[in-house]
Amino acid sequence: MQNNKQGFGGAVRLTIITLIAGLLLGAVNAVTAGPIRQQEEKWAAQAMEQVMPGADYAQQDAAGLALASSKAKVTDVYTATEGGRPVGVVVFLTAVGYGGDITLTIGLDMDKKVTGIAAGTNSETKGIGTRALEESFLKTLFGRAPGDITGADGITGATITSTAVRAAISAAGEAFDFVMGGAAS
């Protein structure tokens, strides 16, 4: 009988410790949620300006967007305008690389050509996979339409990451068609 009382007391102590830990984690989340959201919004604004500079951006509803490939996922789509005139689309995506998810922001002009690519968070191998996310490689894709990307050179040793970038550009083209009604100028 003594062992049951000790076991019960241990369970009560463990429950109390778990409740306290849960409350502390909740408090930390409440304190950090706002600054994290602000930092994410700041990064998003910088990424939009990098891929489609000088435009005004309006978030679009892409809830019904069904992509042809599962290698990339659209997370947000914005139309870009200058003086009220559409100049393109900015698409936030997550693509599957060698080391896991890669976040990318891609700008497409009204001719559906890449105006810029901003690489965000990733877990690619430094010096190998990350080379496909460097500006020197990404710039080789500027001015190309999503349909012209499949033949673009990749980075030796970073085939999966290069393929992820190309899949993201293709998905951005699908997002363009979805929000703009398929009408490139």
Side-chain angles (χ1 to χ4, degrees):
M1 194 68 170
Q2 186 70 8
N3 279 344
N4 280 346
K5 286 183 182 180
Q6 286 177 339
F8 182 73
V12 169
R13 281 192 294 273
L14 185 58
T15 301
I16 291 170
I17 290 169
T18 303
L19 286 172
I20 291 170
L23 289 172
L24 288 173
L25 285 172
V28 168
N29 183 55
V31 169
T32 60
I36 289 170
R37 187 171 37 317
Q38 288 174 341
Q39 189 61 32
E40 288 171 345
E41 289 171 358
K42 180 180 174 185
W43 180 83
Q46 289 171 339
M48 285 190 281
E49 187 61 29
Q50 181 180 340
V51 302
M52 186 79 57
D56 296 315
Y57 312 99
Q59 189 171 17
Q60 301 299 307
D61 181 14
L65 176 60
L67 298 175
S69 171
S70 62
K71 294 182 181 185
K73 177 185 170 206
V74 173
T75 55
D76 276 311
V77 181
Y78 292 78
T79 53
T81 59
E82 288 179 2
R85 184 180 58 83
V87 293
V89 173
V90 176
V91 185
F92 288 83
L93 308 104
T94 302
V96 180
Y98 179 77
D101 287 346
I102 303 167
T103 58
L104 295 162
T105 306
I106 299 172
L108 297 173
D109 64 17
M110 291 306 292
D111 291 325
K112 211 161 107 175
K113 295 197 176 177
V114 176
T115 60
I117 304 170
T121 58
N122 69 83
S123 299
E124 300 306 283
T125 307
K126 288 231 182 280
I128 301 172
T130 55
R131 292 185 322 172
L133 303 174
E134 292 173 358
E135 189 175 353
S136 58
F137 172 70
L138 296 176
K139 279 189 169 185
T140 66
L141 305 171
F142 292 10
R144 294 181 183 222
D148 299 334
I149 297 297
T150 54
D153 289 338
I155 299 281
T156 303
T159 305
I160 295 172
T161 309
S162 301
T163 301
V165 171
R166 288 192 297 268
I169 293 170
S170 293
E174 291 180 58
F176 178 99
D177 291 340
F178 183 81
V179 299
M180 301 303 275
S185 60

